[in-house]
Amino acid sequence: MSAKPRASRGEVIHRPAPDSRGFIFWLDEPQNWRTKSRWLRLSGWCLHVSGKPVTSICVRIGGRQFTAALETSRTDVANYFGRSQEDLRCGFSLDVRTPRGNGSLTIEAQTSGSPWTKVLVTTVRGPFLATGERHRRKERDLAATIQRYRWWYDRPIDWQKPTSVLYVSGWFIDTTGKPIRGIRARIGRKFFRAKVGLRRDDVSAAYPELPSSRHSGFAIAIPLPPRASKILLQFQGADGIWRDFDSQLVERGDCPADVPPSSELSFFTAPSALNPRFSSWVHVPNVIERRLRLAGWCFANEGPPVDAVRARAGRRITPGEFGIVRRDVALAHNNCAGSLHSGFLIRASIPRGRRQLVLEARSTDGKWESFFETTVRRPVFRRGGPSLGSEAEIYAHWIDRYERLTRSDKRAIKKQVSALSRRPRFSLLLPTYESDARWLKRAIESVRQQFYSDWELCIVDDASIKPAGWKIVQRYARADSRIKTLRREARGGIASASNDALSLATGEFVALLDHDDAIARPALYWAAVELERNSALQLIYTDEDKIDEDDRRHSPYFKPEWNPDLFLAQNYVSHLTFLHTDLVRRVGGFRSSFDGSQDYDLFLRCTKQIEADKIARIPRVLYHWRALPQSTAASTSAKEYAHVAAVRAVQEHLDTRNIKASVEPREFGIYQRVRYPLPSEHPLVSIIIPSRDQSALLEKCVASILQKSDYTNFEIIILDNESVEEQTRELYRRLRPERRIRVIEAAGEFNFSRLINLGASHARGSIFLLLNNDVEIMNPDCLSELVSQVSRPEVGVVGARLWYPNGTLQHGGVILGAGGVASHIDSIWRDDPGYFARQHLAQDFCAVTAACLTVRREVFEKLGGFDESRLPVTFNDVDFCLRARELGWRIVYTPYAELTHHESVSRGIENTTEKQRRFFSESEFLLKRWGPLIQNDPAYNPNLSLGEKRFELAFPPRVTPPWKKPVLDQPSS
C-alpha cells in the first residue's frame, strides 16, 4: 500500500534526536500528507532512550483511533543504534482512514506500563468530495483487505524510479490462517504472475500462530510499457477470487533494471502460466517491427528436456537459436537439468495488425508445447518508400529513440554552446566537381544548420564543365559570409582541389566534407565540447553512417577508440575527422599521387607526427555518407584505384617509420594486411599446453604443430594435471622420443593459472605460446605469424583467430563488458564479412583468449605471470592482458594465425553449483579490479550491444550526450 517502502537494511538509517520524553521516532512513509485516498498507510519505527521496548503506536484522526503493535523486525535500526536483539521489533505499519479536507493527525507511543505520549502532530489533507458507489465499494473492499491481510515489500526501494523491468518482492499473509493461492500484477489487460510460497523465516517469527507465514514470500518481475502506468497488485484467496490489495504509479525509463542478486533471481521466475512444465523468461520489445527480436531462456522443470524453440505469429513460424549458455540462470536454479544451456534468440516474423504471439518449446520426444503467449500489434501502414531490410528498420527505430533531438535538447545545446570558454573555428573543406545540385545543396545546408556557429566553409570547384554547381555555390556565398569559394581554371584532381580549399582555411581545425554527403546538425558542437575537455587534441574522429537518395540512413559504423593496427588494415577513421590546421600544413597537405585515398594518406602522415593521447573518438554518428551508385559508399568496388592507393599509402607510412614490413591487398578486395618479418635469428618458442586426459585431442594438437608448422624452433611443454586414462599414458610414451617435447607432472586441483606459471618456470624459450590441448593449428605459417607480431617491441601479447569445427568463429578478440564481464567476438562464418570486417583484420584489443596466446618472456615475468590465487580458472587471460596493457604494451589480435578449437572439451563447462559459484566469484573480482575499463572497452563502442550478439545496436546506448550532463567536464591542457 505504501508509496515508498522502508529503507533496506543496507541503507543509512535516519537518526532523529530524542524528544523531551525520550522517544526516538521516525516515519518511512508517507512522504506526502496530502492524499486522494481515504486510506493512508503509516510505517516507520520507534525507540526509547531508556531501552524500554515501545509496545504500541496509536494514531488519532477525525475522531477515530487506530492502534498497532510494534511487531515488525528492524535489524537495520537495532544495529545502527547498537540495541540488543530483543529490540529488533521496533517497526510498525498501519492504515488510517483520513477525513475529508484538512484534519489533525496525532501519533502517540507507549512503553510497557506507561501512558500514551505524543510523538507527532501534523495536518493531513484528504479528498473533499465523496466518490461514486463503485469507488465506495472499492474502498470497503480495500478496508476489509487491510483489516484481514498483512503484506510488505522488500523491493523495489523506489517505486518512482524509471526502469525497464520492475522487480517486486515481499510477503503476504491472511491473518485468519488461510493460504494465499496466488499473487499477480496487472497493467491494463496484461497480467504477470508472481512466484509464491517462498520461505520467510522472519515472517514466521513475527506471526508464529500462523503456519502459512513460513511460506508467505512472493516475487515477481514486471516488464514495464513505454509510458507512465498504473500497476494493480492482486491476490487470490482461498476462495479463488482475485482482489486488489495495492496500486502504484510507475514509469518506464532507459535506466538498467535493478536486478536482484543472482542468488535471488530464481525467485522472480514463475512457472509458465500456459504450461507449468517450463520455467522461462522472455523479453519482448515495446516497438513491434517486421522482424521482432525475442531473447530469453526456457527449460523444462519436469519431463523431457527442451532442445528447440520457435515463435508463432498468425501463420508465420520462425525457428530460434537455442542452447545459448546462461550461467546466471543455472546458478539461480541450482544447476537443474537444462538450465545452463537454456538461452534462446528468435528473430520472429510478425504480420501486420494485432496478432497473438506464441513461443513454443520442442522436447526431445519431438512434441511442441507453448510456454509463453502475448498480444503484439505491428502497424498496418509503413513509412513511405521501399524497405531497406530489417537492419535498416531497426536502425531507423534506434535513431528515433536515441538520436532524435527534442526542443529541450536543442535549447540545452544552444545554452551549452554559449557557455563554452573556448570557441575554436572549424574550416570545412569541400572540393566539388560536376556536383549534383540536389546533393550539393544538402551538403551546404547541413553546415549552415549547425548549432555551433564558429565555422567557415571553403568550397573549391575543380574546373567543372557544367555551370549549375558553381552557380549554387556563388548564391550561397553571397548569402553567408562564412562561405569562401574558389574556382580552379584547370582540372587538378581531388587532392589539388582539397589543397586549394586548405589555402582558404583560417580556422584552428579543418574537417573534410564530400560534395554529396552531409554532417549532422550537432557535429561541430560535439567537436567543440571535446576540445573544451581536452585542448591538446590534434585529431578527432566520429562515427558515421550511410544515407540513400531518399535521405534514409543505414549501415552505421560505430568505431573503436584509436586502434593503430586496425587503422593500417582499413581507414576506419574516415568521416567525420577534425585535424589541427597547423598539423595538416606541417605534413604537406594532400598529395595527388594518392588520389582516391588522399584522405587516408593524409591521416597516416598526421598520426605519425602526434602521440596517441592527442587523438580522440566521438561515439556519435555525425557524418552521413551518401550511397550513390558510383560512390564508394554504395560499393567499395566502385573505385578500385582507391584501394591500390591505400596499399601504397600504408607501405610508405611503414617505410618512413623504418618498419620492415610489407603491405598486401587482402580481405574482400578493399582492406590490407601488414606482414611483419621474423627476427633474423628465430627465437625459441616454448609452447605450454595444460592437459588432463583426452589423449585423442592432445595428440591431434601436438601432431598439428609437428607436421604443419613451417616454424621449427620450438619446444612443447605438456603440463599433465592428474590424468588417469591409460590412453593418455600410452600417448606420453609415444611422445617421449621427440626431443622437443617434455611432459611435466602437475598434481592438484585444476588451476589454469598455476599450470601456466609452472610451465613458464620450466620453459627455455624467449617467447611463450600458451595453447589449450583441444586446439589444432590450421595454416602452416600460424606460429610464424604469432612470432612476427609478438616480436614487435610495442606489442606485449598476441592472440589468434579460433574456429569451431563446424566453421563458425569461436574467437576473434575479446570484448570487455560483453556478457557481463568479457566475452569473445564469435558466431560468424568464414566467408561472412561480419561487422565492417572487424573479425578478419589485425587490430588492437584489450584482451585475447589464452586458448592461443603468445607473449614474450620479459613481459610475462614483468607481470608476474597469471594470478593463481584469485583467478584460478576463468578470466585469468583477460586480467593478464589488462595488466600488460596497463604497463604500456599493446594487445594485438591477428586473424592470420588460425586454429580449430574444441572449446572446454578437456576441462568441461561450468555445470555444477560449485563451478558456478567460483565463476561468479572470479567475475566479481575482475569487475572490482577493472570496473571502469570493462564498462567502456576502447576496442568497442558504447552504441553497440553487450548482449548475446556483439556488434548489434545497444538499446539504450551507454553514452550520455554532453547536453544531458549536469556540467561540462573540466578542460585540460
Side-chain angles (χ1 to χ4, degrees):
M1 288 181 55
S2 61
K4 289 185 179 292
R6 64 174 173 81
S8 68
R9 290 173 174 80
E11 293 188 348
V12 176
I13 302 301
H14 298 281
R15 187 171 184 174
D19 63 14
S20 58
R21 291 182 174 84
F23 285 96
I24 309 175
F25 175 81
W26 184 261
L27 280 176
D28 294 323
E29 55 179 332
Q31 303 295 322
N32 188 343
W33 291 104
R34 181 173 179 175
T35 175
K36 295 181 179 180
S37 172
R38 284 290 183 215
W39 291 93
L40 180 68
R41 166 161 286 194
L42 306 177
S43 64
W45 50 268
C46 187
L47 295 172
H48 197 274
V49 294
S50 66
K52 295 180 180 179
V54 180
T55 57
S56 304
I57 288 289
C58 177
V59 179
R60 305 180 192 276
I61 180 172
R64 292 187 175 92
Q65 177 177 313
F66 305 87
T67 305
L70 274 70
E71 55 187 14
T72 303
S73 296
R74 291 295 297 261
T75 309
D76 49 349
V77 179
N79 290 342
Y80 189 89
F81 286 97
R83 294 301 182 91
S84 64
Q85 294 300 309
E86 288 77 10
D87 291 333
L88 285 178
R89 291 193 181 183
C90 59
F92 64 87
S93 178
L94 75 161
D95 299 275
V96 301
R97 184 176 176 85
T98 60
R100 296 178 185 172
N102 294 339
S104 177
L105 181 143
T106 302
I107 301 179
E108 300 174 345
Q110 183 185 53
T111 59
S112 180
S114 66
W116 291 104
T117 302
K118 293 182 181 179
V119 294
L120 177 69
V121 178
T122 187
T123 300
V124 177
R125 185 176 183 183
F128 281 99
L129 302 176
T131 56
E133 179 58 32
R134 182 181 177 186
H135 288 178
R136 283 195 294 271
R137 185 168 62 251
K138 285 186 175 181
E139 295 251 341
R140 286 195 298 268
D141 292 343
L142 182 59
T145 300
I146 291 171
Q147 294 299 322
R148 176 172 171 177
Y149 301 94
R150 297 287 183 270
W151 65 91
W152 190 263
Y153 301 122
D154 297 319
R155 66 169 55 238
I157 299 301
D158 184 359
W159 288 89
Q160 276 70 49
K161 179 182 177 182
T163 184
S164 56
V165 178
L166 185 67
Y167 291 89
V168 182
S169 64
W171 52 266
F172 191 101
I173 60 173
D174 184 343
T175 57
T176 65
K178 293 183 178 180
I180 300 298
R181 295 174 57 179
I183 299 286
R184 71 183 184 186
R186 175 181 176 180
I187 301 180
R189 297 181 180 180
K190 291 188 177 182
F191 296 90
F192 307 92
R193 290 289 295 266
K195 194 167 190 176
V196 297
L198 304 180
R199 190 181 180 96
R200 292 299 297 253
D201 292 331
D202 55 337
V203 183
S204 177
Y207 296 93
E209 70 282 1
L210 300 176
S212 61
S213 63
R214 183 172 296 278
H215 294 279
S216 60
F218 70 88
I220 181 171
I222 310 168
L224 300 183
R227 58 186 180 278
S229 307
K230 183 178 181 180
I231 291 181
L232 286 178
L233 292 162
Q234 302 175 324
F235 73 96
Q236 186 182 37
D239 57 2
I241 299 175
W242 287 97
R243 296 180 175 87
D244 298 347
F245 69 89
D246 196 9
S247 64
Q248 298 289 345
L249 292 177
V250 295
E251 183 177 355
R252 182 183 176 91
D254 293 333
C255 301
D258 182 17
V259 181
S262 57
S263 60
E264 300 178 13
L265 195 58
S266 62
F267 298 155
F268 292 85
T269 307
S272 169
L274 288 178
N275 195 334
R277 196 171 81 79
F278 300 105
S279 286
S280 63
W281 175 257
V282 183
H283 170 67
V284 181
N286 294 309
V287 178
I288 309 303
E289 303 286 353
R290 183 171 67 89
R291 284 285 179 181
L292 188 63
R293 185 179 185 276
L294 304 169
W297 52 267
C298 174
F299 65 89
N301 299 313
E302 57 187 22
V306 177
D307 68 354
V309 295
R310 69 184 185 186
R312 180 162 49 83
R315 296 182 179 179
R316 297 185 185 181
I317 297 178
T318 310
E321 176 185 349
F322 182 75
I324 299 172
V325 174
R326 290 298 299 261
R327 292 187 175 92
D328 55 335
V329 178
L331 181 63
H333 293 83
N334 201 28
N335 288 288
C336 64
S339 60
L340 181 61
H341 292 274
S342 61
F344 65 80
L345 180 63
I346 310 174
R347 298 186 180 277
S349 177
I350 307 298
R352 299 183 184 278
R354 184 180 295 274
R355 301 287 176 174
Q356 198 72 5
L357 174 66
V358 180
L359 299 191
E360 300 174 326
R362 185 185 68 191
S363 303
T364 51
D365 58 6
K367 181 182 178 181
W368 287 97
E369 300 175 77
S370 301
F371 67 88
F372 176 82
E373 183 176 324
T374 189
T375 302
V376 295
R377 184 182 182 278
R378 181 183 165 204
V380 175
F381 300 102
R382 66 183 181 187
R383 297 176 181 176
S387 172
L388 286 173
S390 60
E391 294 296 330
E393 291 173 1
I394 293 172
Y395 182 47
H397 166 59
W398 187 90
I399 292 170
D400 193 59
R401 263 189 100 169
Y402 303 117
E403 279 201 6
R404 196 75 63 197
L405 297 178
T406 64
R407 290 183 180 179
S408 60
D409 290 334
K410 295 174 183 178
R411 286 195 296 268
I413 291 173
K414 293 175 181 178
K415 182 179 179 181
Q416 209 169 76
V417 166
S418 62
L420 291 172
S421 62
R422 183 170 181 262
R423 298 181 64 90
R425 176 177 294 178
F426 298 104
S427 299
L428 288 97
L429 312 185
L430 176 57
T432 67
Y433 178 73
E434 303 296 355
S435 303
D436 187 301
R438 290 176 298 169
W439 316 134
L440 181 59
K441 288 179 182 178
R442 293 183 188 181
I444 297 173
E445 285 295 340
S446 72
V447 178
R448 297 190 69 201
Q449 293 173 359
Q450 292 294 300
F451 290 109
Y452 185 85
S453 59
D454 289 348
W455 56 263
E456 60 182 11
L457 181 58
C458 305
I459 306 177
V460 173
D461 181 79
D462 193 22
S464 298
I465 298 174
K466 298 177 182 178
W470 180 244
K471 289 181 179 179
I472 292 172
V473 170
Q474 287 181 310
R475 185 163 62 250
Y476 274 107
R478 287 192 295 269
D480 196 325
S481 61
R482 296 171 295 180
I483 299 178
K484 300 180 178 181
T485 62
L486 179 87
R487 190 175 193 186
R488 292 175 53 85
E489 295 181 357
R491 175 88 190 278
I494 188 170
S496 298
S498 298
N499 280 329
D500 288 341
L502 178 63
S503 67
L504 299 176
T506 61
E508 184 179 348
F509 281 81
V510 296
L512 313 182
L513 176 62
D514 286 350
H515 63 166
D516 49 6
D517 298 342
I519 59 176
R521 190 177 178 190
L524 302 184
Y525 155 77
W526 274 86
V529 169
E530 199 66 32
L531 289 168
E532 180 86 353
R533 294 182 179 134
N534 186 355
S535 60
L537 293 176
Q538 297 281 297
L539 188 155
I540 305 171
Y541 63 95
T542 77
D543 297 334
E544 63 184 270
D545 63 12
K546 294 182 176 65
I547 189 169
D548 68 5
E549 296 180 352
D550 297 316
D551 282 347
R552 291 181 299 179
R553 294 167 55 185
H554 60 97
S555 306
Y557 191 0
F558 293 109
K559 308 170 185 178
E561 293 184 17
W562 177 238
N563 197 311
D565 273 65
L566 180 62
F567 186 54
L568 296 179
Q570 66 171 205
N571 178 18
Y572 80 91
V573 170
S574 193
H575 302 298
L576 175 66
T577 302
F578 299 88
L579 295 153
H580 201 286
T581 308
D582 291 342
L583 173 64
V584 175
R585 288 175 173 151
R586 189 165 69 246
V587 301
F590 301 88
R591 298 193 293 182
S592 297
S593 57
F594 292 91
D595 270 359
S597 288
Q598 72 286 339
D599 52 350
Y600 192 14
D601 168 62
L602 175 65
F603 298 158
L604 286 165
R605 287 180 285 123
C606 287
T607 54
K608 177 189 171 185
Q609 301 293 323
I610 59 178
E611 299 296 326
D613 61 356
K614 300 297 191 296
I615 303 173
R617 172 208 64 185
I618 297 176
R620 180 84 171 193
V621 174
L622 299 178
Y623 193 94
H624 311 305
W625 197 358
R626 186 77 60 181
L628 300 173
Q630 295 305 314
S631 73
T632 53
S635 172
T636 49
S637 62
K639 297 180 181 179
E640 293 182 4
Y641 70 92
H643 188 219
V644 176
V647 172
R648 288 194 296 109
V650 175
Q651 185 66 66
E652 182 182 292
H653 173 73
L654 296 172
D655 293 343
T656 57
R657 295 180 61 188
N658 296 318
I659 298 175
K660 298 183 184 300
S662 60
V663 185
E664 59 189 46
R666 193 65 189 202
E667 270 61 35
F668 310 106
I670 55 174
Y671 305 117
Q672 48 274 351
R673 173 187 178 180
V674 178
R675 282 187 182 270
Y676 293 92
L678 288 167
S680 54
E681 293 186 8
H682 292 188
L684 176 64
V685 178
S686 297
I687 303 175
I688 302 171
I689 307 176
S691 185
R692 174 185 293 176
D693 291 321
Q694 297 293 338
S695 58
L697 286 173
L698 178 61
E699 185 174 14
K700 287 182 179 180
C701 175
V702 173
S704 69
I705 300 170
L706 296 175
Q707 299 170 11
K708 290 184 179 180
S709 177
D710 61 6
Y711 190 94
T712 58
N713 191 19
F714 61 80
E715 64 172 357
I716 299 177
I717 302 172
I718 300 174
L719 288 308
D720 183 74
N721 185 217
E722 298 187 343
S723 294
V724 296
E725 296 175 357
E726 179 59 33
Q727 298 93 320
T728 305
R729 297 190 183 95
E730 174 60 27
L731 173 63
Y732 291 158
R733 284 192 289 270
R734 295 200 307 271
L735 294 176
R736 191 171 295 134
E738 173 60 61
R739 61 178 180 81
R740 292 179 294 181
I741 299 178
R742 285 182 286 159
V743 178
I744 297 173
E745 296 295 330
E749 184 180 355
F750 178 79
N751 184 319
F752 182 83
S753 297
R754 180 177 61 83
L755 294 174
I756 293 299
N757 292 340
L758 177 63
S761 68
H762 286 82
R764 297 191 294 261
S766 60
I767 293 176
F768 300 158
L769 171 57
L770 315 184
L771 277 187
N772 276 17
N773 67 344
D774 54 359
V775 301
E776 304 169 51
I777 69 170
M778 297 172 62
N779 51 315
D781 62 344
C782 176
L783 267 66
S784 299
E785 171 67 13
L786 292 171
V787 172
S788 65
Q789 289 281 1
V790 83
S791 297
R792 298 161 57 190
E794 70 276 15
V795 174
V797 178
V798 176
R801 178 159 62 170
L802 308 180
W803 298 93
Y804 285 119
N806 67 356
T808 58
L809 185 68
Q810 188 268 334
H811 171 266
V814 171
I815 297 298
L816 302 182
V821 181
S823 189
H824 301 170
I825 297 175
D826 57 10
S827 299
I828 70 165
W829 296 93
R830 178 175 288 277
D831 56 353
D832 183 356
Y835 190 76
F836 292 89
R838 285 285 301 270
Q839 298 91 326
H840 299 281
L841 302 176
Q843 59 195 281
D844 297 83
F845 277 99
C846 287
V848 292
T849 179
C852 179
L853 183 150
T854 314
V855 58
R856 296 197 303 278
R857 175 188 286 273
E858 60 177 289
V859 177
F860 190 92
E861 292 177 348
K862 182 77 171 179
L863 297 176
F866 279 47
D867 192 333
E868 300 180 18
S869 60
R870 289 168 292 194
L871 297 170
V873 179
T874 55
F875 300 125
N876 36 48
D877 46 4
V878 175
D879 175 72
F880 180 81
C881 291
L882 294 182
R883 287 188 284 128
R885 184 178 179 275
E886 187 178 44
L887 293 182
W889 283 296
R890 285 166 48 197
I891 315 300
V892 170
Y893 156 78
T894 174
Y896 309 114
E898 300 185 277
L899 301 93
T900 301
H901 188 197
H902 309 270
E903 185 182 23
S904 300
V905 170
S906 178
R907 178 173 61 84
I909 56 178
E910 315 289 351
N911 58 357
T912 68
T913 301
E914 181 182 356
K915 288 182 178 180
Q916 292 285 340
R917 295 196 185 282
R918 188 259 312 141
F919 172 82
F920 280 104
S921 173
E922 293 174 348
S923 303
E924 184 179 0
F925 170 76
L926 199 75
L927 288 168
K928 184 177 180 180
R929 176 181 277 186
W930 302 106
L933 190 59
I934 289 175
Q935 293 172 10
N936 186 20
D937 187 344
Y940 204 46
N941 190 292
N943 293 293
L944 296 174
S945 171
L946 296 175
E948 297 92 345
K949 300 289 185 181
R950 259 58 80 195
F951 296 111
E952 290 190 345
L953 294 171
F955 286 85
R958 299 176 304 283
V959 58
T960 303
W963 65 85
K964 292 186 178 180
K965 296 179 180 178
V967 293
L968 283 177
D969 296 342
Q970 291 300 316
S972 60
S973 56

